[in-house]
Amino acid sequence: MSTLIKGGTIVTAGDICAADLRMDGEKIAEIGKDLPQKDGDAVIQAKGRYIFPGGVDVHTHFELPFMGTISADDFKTGSIAAICGGTTSFIDFCFQDKTKPLAEAVKAWHEKSKKAVADFGYHMGITDYTPAVAAEIPSIIKQGITSFKFFMAYKGVLQIDDGQIIGIMEIIGKHGGLAMVHAENGDMIDTLVKRFVAEGKQPPEYHWLSHPALAEEEAVHRIIELARFTDQPIYIVHLSSADGLEKVKEAMSRGYKVIAETCPQYLLLSSDLYYKPNFEGAKWVMSPPLRPADHLEKMWDGLSKGFIKTVATDHCSFNFKGQKEMGRESFAKIPNGIASVGDRFNLLYTYGVGKGRLSLTRFVDVVATAPAKLFGMYPQKGSIAVGADADLVIFDPEAGGEVSAKTHHHNCDYSAYEGMKLKGLPESVLLRGKFAVRDGKYVGEQGAGRFIARGPSGKMM
Ligand code: URP
Ligand code: ZN
Ligand code: ZN
């Protein structure tokens, strides 16, 4: 049996057109004007609705052991939140347990991800680069895990040095993988954290004061030079500052292979939130931190002009009660991260398209198509085309709403975006041809998510 979506406006990264769409099983079978209803066809009326490709969030941390606790959303709650918010595929970071083989981490992630209700892949997170780890990289890539993150920050925990970075980039490149980096100078941060702690400075605002934009700017500059040295592309995750962005622009203008991702928080929220009384500022402790308000429009500008290619979330949720509170005695112990996998698509629509900062096609590109292309999932994901997976968002541009912990699907007791108004919401969401959200209600099947063995990453450049 096939299903016909009639009367909607199909929006892709390249086009906007009024057309009908037929799905057959899990795939898009036909797109065209006034498609006839066949015997047994189910029909979805989509007049006045946009049909978007399902969103692709390439940066999540579900059930991640981190900073002495475990992130609050697991693959079930995280992927339900994602799909209710228009995101049908995500890539989670599969972190190597230091000193252990990469393969062990992959096994652990396959176990955790059985609960997923949206499709998913993994990036490999390398925390300890040794000859044994290097030897495992080709086999990881063969399993469809074609991107690898490492850290220039979190000194003493995750940070690796330039020599190790060079080694990793060379081996990843040799086998067709893409290197991804958390670009902050961990030594600058460590110096400031130790200084503030020694001075008895405890409150949350010292988190952002110990992570200056200069630390990002320096690391972005350095990683670009290391990418030139190794002749490899580099994907910079969660770019947060106008200073870092300037370095990316400069490099792009010289033709260097740098790809930048940002997140809704670095477009919409600012560092004054750290000064909320009663330890509330802890809710926004993340790395990199929020920046002063004058960075935000510059980040939007970089996104609309194509210097920033993707918007992911870096979803890493921690409850305020019992988790963020671990840092009441010291800002340095507040688990880093916020929940937002369910908010990204809608925030980008309201504050990007709705405010005239992004065209409709650019919106689709940054939330779905570019991430799918960069990470080897296109055109199966991130597109509306015959033969692609029927992952679709039927979107009502007139629907109004508000972000709130009272209504969100995140397993988190607060929302970093509490009270922000939304205009435009998913009405229905389909995953491989099946309703996961119907008329605003989650109707998905338990464990419906499927692992995506991805093709080569970094091929869009
Ligand atoms: O604060 C953050 N970003 N937490 C998750 C870990 C990371 O650096 O991506
Ligand atoms: Zn990071
Ligand atoms: Zn992250």
Side-chain angles (χ1 to χ4, degrees):
M1 192 185 86
S2 58
T3 305
L4 190 60
I5 305 180
K6 280 207 81 67
T9 300
I10 295 177
V11 187
T12 66
D15 236 334
I16 304 173
C17 80
D20 299 339
L21 182 153
R22 192 187 314 280
M23 299 176 280
D24 206 351
E26 299 193 338
K27 302 285 180 188
I28 297 172
E30 207 179 349
I31 299 168
K33 290 252 181 249
D34 302 320
L35 293 183
Q37 188 177 349
K38 290 186 191 159
D39 263 2
D41 260 358
V43 176
I44 302 170
Q45 292 294 347
K47 197 164 171 355
R49 306 290 184 259
Y50 290 127
I51 317 290
F52 293 129
V56 179
D57 183 350
V58 294
H59 193 150
T60 66
H61 302 285
F62 296 146
E63 211 178 323
L64 176 72
F66 190 54
M67 295 187 74
T69 183
I70 297 177
S71 63
D73 277 292
D74 63 15
F75 277 78
K76 179 175 176 188
T77 60
S79 61
I80 289 177
I83 217 157
C84 289
T87 290
T88 50
S89 307
F90 61 93
I91 309 184
D92 199 78
F93 285 85
C94 167
F95 275 105
Q96 171 197 19
D97 198 347
K98 241 182 174 164
T99 76
K100 303 242 176 82
L102 303 181
E104 264 188 42
V106 174
K107 199 165 160 228
W109 252 253
H110 277 316
E111 203 45 51
K112 295 197 252 195
S113 64
K114 282 181 180 158
K115 296 174 282 195
V117 304
D119 287 355
F120 59 92
Y122 312 137
H123 308 289
M124 192 78 232
I126 296 183
T127 58
D128 184 26
Y129 185 64
T130 61
V133 166
E136 273 194 278
I137 286 177
S139 113
I140 298 294
I141 290 179
K142 280 198 194 104
Q143 295 168 51
I145 300 168
T146 56
S147 38
F148 297 78
K149 182 184 180 185
F150 51 85
F151 294 84
M152 298 168 90
Y154 300 114
K155 191 171 167 70
V157 187
L158 300 170
Q159 184 172 335
I160 59 170
D161 67 30
D162 289 358
Q164 292 174 307
I165 291 175
I166 290 168
I168 291 188
M169 291 192 70
E170 286 185 343
I171 186 118
I172 291 171
K174 189 166 153 207
H175 295 279
L178 178 64
M180 310 168 75
V181 67
H182 177 131
E184 287 186 288
N185 181 314
D187 288 84
M188 288 184 188
I189 292 166
D190 190 56
T191 303
L192 290 172
V193 169
K194 284 187 175 141
R195 185 174 302 158
F196 291 145
V197 168
E199 290 169 355
K201 292 170 172 158
Q202 297 176 329
E205 63 263 31
Y206 286 98
H207 174 74
W208 91 274
L209 294 170
S210 59
H211 290 63
L214 177 60
E216 180 169 86
E217 183 184 347
E218 188 284 327
V220 167
H221 172 73
R222 182 158 37 102
I223 196 66
I224 287 168
E225 298 306 322
L226 295 175
R228 287 178 66 203
F229 178 76
T230 55
D231 194 24
Q232 293 302 325
I234 186 72
Y235 182 95
I236 298 173
V237 300
H238 51 45
L239 187 77
S240 66
S241 68
D243 313 60
L245 176 59
E246 275 314 305
K247 292 286 161 201
V248 170
K249 284 185 183 175
E250 218 174 276
M252 287 176 81
S253 71
R254 294 189 180 149
Y256 303 160
K257 294 179 253 176
V258 55
I259 311 154
E261 163 199 287
T262 193
C263 308
Q265 54 268 33
Y266 304 121
L267 296 162
L268 294 168
L269 304 174
S270 57
S271 53
D272 34 291
L273 289 163
Y274 293 119
Y275 295 89
K276 288 217 169 209
N278 304 320
F279 190 66
E280 223 199 316
K283 290 179 176 174
W284 293 275
V285 165
M286 65 189 84
S287 292
L290 302 176
R291 304 299 178 186
D294 61 326
H295 288 242
L296 301 181
E297 249 0 281
K298 293 174 187 157
M299 296 297 282
W300 278 111
D301 186 65
L303 181 65
S304 71
K305 293 190 172 140
F307 294 108
I308 297 171
K309 296 279 186 228
T310 60
V311 179
T313 57
D314 194 11
H315 179 103
C316 193
S317 54
F318 297 103
N319 285 300
F320 184 72
K321 265 219 147 329
Q323 291 192 298
K324 291 286 183 180
E325 283 181 339
M326 290 162 64
R328 277 209 186 263
E329 304 298 306
S330 168
F331 70 93
K333 296 196 173 135
I334 301 169
N336 286 199
I338 59 164
S340 57
V341 72
D343 302 320
R344 178 191 70 126
F345 196 94
N346 297 328
L347 287 170
L348 260 282
Y349 183 85
T350 295
Y351 295 94
V353 178
K355 301 278 181 207
R357 291 160 166 147
L358 299 177
S359 67
L360 268 177
T361 52
R362 181 89 190 120
F363 163 73
V364 169
D365 199 29
V366 302
V367 299
T369 310
K373 281 185 177 167
L374 275 164
F375 289 102
M377 297 185 278
Y378 184 86
Q380 180 194 351
K381 303 293 185 191
S383 75
I384 298 183
V386 172
D389 282 0
D391 293 350
L392 300 167
V393 179
I394 303 176
F395 191 85
D396 179 357
E398 296 306 322
E402 185 175 308
V403 184
S404 175
K406 292 191 195 91
T407 50
H408 71 190
H409 296 267
H410 302 138
N411 182 35
C412 191
D413 61 5
Y414 76 97
S415 169
Y417 300 98
E418 186 70 36
M420 286 184 74
K421 302 276 182 259
L422 298 173
K423 171 102 190 284
L425 288 171
E427 183 174 79
S428 297
V429 181
L430 294 113
L431 177 70
R432 284 180 275 106
K434 279 198 178 150
F435 279 106
V437 176
R438 191 166 200 167
D439 299 326
K441 298 247 170 338
Y442 176 67
V443 294
E445 273 170 33
Q446 219 177 326
R450 211 179 266 167
F451 176 69
I452 309 162
R454 296 180 289 117
S457 288
K459 292 293 169 216
M460 180 173 120
M461 315 203 41

